Amino acid sequence: MPELPEVQTTVDGLNRYVKGLTITDVWTSYKSPHHKGKDNIKDPAYFKKFKQLVLNQKILHTKRRAKNILIFLSNDYIILVHMKMTGHFLYGAYTQTKTTWIPLDKHSSLANNASRFIRLLFTLSDGLHLAFSDLRKFAKVTLIHKKDLDTSLHLKDLGPEPLDSSFTLHIFKNQVLLHPKGKIKQVLLDPSIIVGIGNIYSDEILFRAHIHPERIVSSLTNKELKAIFNALKTTLQKGIDFGGDSTSDYRNILGEAGVFQESHLAYRRTNSPCSKKGCKGIITRKKIGSRNAHFCNSHQI
DNA sequence: TGCAGTGTTGCTTC
DNA sequence: CGAAGCAACACTGC
């Protein structure tokens, strides 16, 4: 479920807790025949190369691009991590068992469900560990060189960053109008149009903008586009301010849940009365494309 | 018990 | 070319 706010929360945590530390060991349990020959650590041959290149490197800083985490190392390589559905980093003291690693401090926030699914673990120079939990094993972990950052296949087709100050209403309109016949929900979810928005935030944005998710982009008025643009900026920022959304198993790197799910007005509130003041609507769920959209059947038009 | 639901993205297919 | 659907996975909840 990590969308932009969850990835940003993770990046902020990495900059706060592991920046400046050196990687002294790497372990993984990933091993997938589907990734043989690809630049993905699920291929054991690639992991071997990966390990050689990250060992003894210092973590300089961490950035976010779309939903990717970019960990910059002292040898000019960058660890690129896409958490996909269920991935998240956890920082703390771990001990190795036969098949995985478990948190040492059973009373800490690390001792939650998330620590059951450690697939990758970095030992750090402070004696603690940076573990990566990934229940469904969908995550992507690879290495790119700094000089290839802009041209990397992993990053080159991405649209603009919605929270950048350079992302203006004008640019927003240009981007969504690349798909004039598209349904607005599907266009908001398209990372080549705007990055960082997933199913949860697209529902919450459209609820707040009073726009039906199936509205065709070319039918939207300037006023409506502006409402979506404003809701997009404020809702994503609120997600960050609330430490992300832990509807599913997302946690920050200390293992703590975010609280944005307590502010959901539409997502997974099917059949609840609409919470908008004076609105008599009911939250409805409908498949749009292959995704479930949640929206008010009255004020989202 | 069994199977639908969960959600990101890249690849395949039409 | 674009749109649609599946695959990469594994667990939860009904």
Side-chain angles (χ1 to χ4, degrees):
Chain A
M1 255 125 301
E3 302 179 31
L4 185 152
E6 291 73 43
V7 181
Q8 188 63 51
T9 303
T10 297
V11 166
D12 292 345
L14 292 172
N15 279 326
R16 180 163 173 191
Y17 293 102
V18 308
K19 186 175 176 165
L21 298 176
T22 296
I23 297 167
T24 59
D25 205 359
V26 195
W27 168 94
T28 190
S29 65
Y30 281 125
K31 189 180 172 184
S32 159
H34 303 285
H35 293 82
K36 201 172 156 74
K38 296 192 180 157
D39 61 335
N40 187 309
I41 61 157
K42 293 175 193 175
D43 174 16
Y46 187 82
F47 178 72
K48 209 174 156 187
K49 268 200 304 200
F50 175 90
K51 185 171 177 176
Q52 281 173 3
L53 284 165
V54 304
L55 226 47
N56 302 316
Q57 298 308 313
K58 188 170 163 180
I59 296 169
L60 300 180
H61 60 275
T62 303
K63 288 186 180 174
R64 180 185 61 74
R65 173 68 178 115
K67 295 173 185 168
N68 297 284
I69 297 168
L70 304 173
I71 303 173
F72 287 70
L73 303 178
S74 45
N75 60 353
D76 286 345
Y77 277 91
I78 300 165
I79 303 173
L80 182 150
V81 180
H82 195 302
M83 304 193 274
K84 295 286 180 91
M85 310 288 294
T86 55
H88 48 264
F89 278 110
L90 294 165
Y91 172 65
Y94 279 72
T95 188
Q96 191 165 17
T97 68
K98 217 177 260 176
T99 52
T100 186
W101 292 70
I102 51 172
L104 270 177
D105 182 2
K106 292 267 192 284
H107 302 291
S108 83
S109 55
L110 289 171
N112 60 23
N113 221 22
S115 58
R116 287 167 51 203
F117 308 106
I118 304 306
R119 317 289 188 196
L120 172 68
L121 181 138
F122 297 92
T123 302
L124 301 173
S125 51
D126 64 353
L128 297 181
H129 302 96
L130 184 62
F132 188 69
S133 171
D134 181 20
L135 184 153
R136 290 176 68 180
K137 301 182 185 172
F138 278 4
K140 172 167 76 182
V141 181
T142 189
L143 211 52
I144 53 180
H145 196 274
K146 204 167 140 184
K147 68 175 164 49
D148 301 326
L149 190 56
D150 296 330
T151 53
S152 164
L153 287 174
H154 303 289
L155 302 173
K156 74 176 181 57
D157 293 326
L158 294 171
E161 286 287 340
L163 290 183
D164 275 6
S165 56
S166 59
F167 186 72
T168 58
L169 176 60
H170 178 70
I171 291 179
F172 170 71
K173 283 185 195 171
N174 284 349
Q175 288 301 111
V176 294
L177 283 167
L178 291 173
H179 286 315
K181 293 178 186 169
K183 293 173 182 169
I184 186 62
K185 162 131 177 142
Q186 289 178 290
V187 175
L188 289 178
L189 288 170
D190 183 339
S192 70
I193 300 298
I194 304 162
V195 302
I197 302 171
N199 210 30
I200 297 174
Y201 288 93
S202 60
D203 278 352
E204 294 301 313
I205 289 164
L206 291 171
F207 179 98
R208 288 161 168 81
H210 306 176
I211 301 295
H212 193 287
E214 290 180 297
R215 281 287 297 281
I216 301 302
V217 168
S218 62
S219 81
L220 294 165
T221 65
N222 275 329
K223 197 178 161 189
E224 288 172 331
L225 285 165
K226 190 171 183 187
I228 299 169
F229 174 77
N230 288 339
L232 185 156
K233 289 260 187 190
T234 55
T235 308
L236 291 175
Q237 185 58 51
K238 185 171 177 177
I240 295 173
D241 294 343
F242 280 36
D245 187 298
S246 295
T247 298
S248 180
D249 53 358
Y250 176 75
R251 297 292 182 274
N252 71 18
I253 75 165
L254 298 184
E256 300 159 341
V259 294
F260 183 75
Q261 64 280 3
E262 293 165 19
S263 299
H264 286 179
L265 304 178
Y267 183 76
R268 286 215 186 167
R269 301 196 72 238
T270 313
N271 296 328
S272 303
C274 176
S275 57
K276 182 178 162 344
K277 208 173 175 182
C279 181
K280 298 274 200 292
I282 301 288
I283 303 300
T284 305
R285 189 175 79 166
K286 184 182 179 187
K287 272 247 193 309
I288 299 178
S290 54
R291 317 301 299 282
N292 266 320
H294 308 76
F295 56 96
C296 170
N297 63 1
S298 174
H299 85 270
Q300 285 181 255
I301 54 174

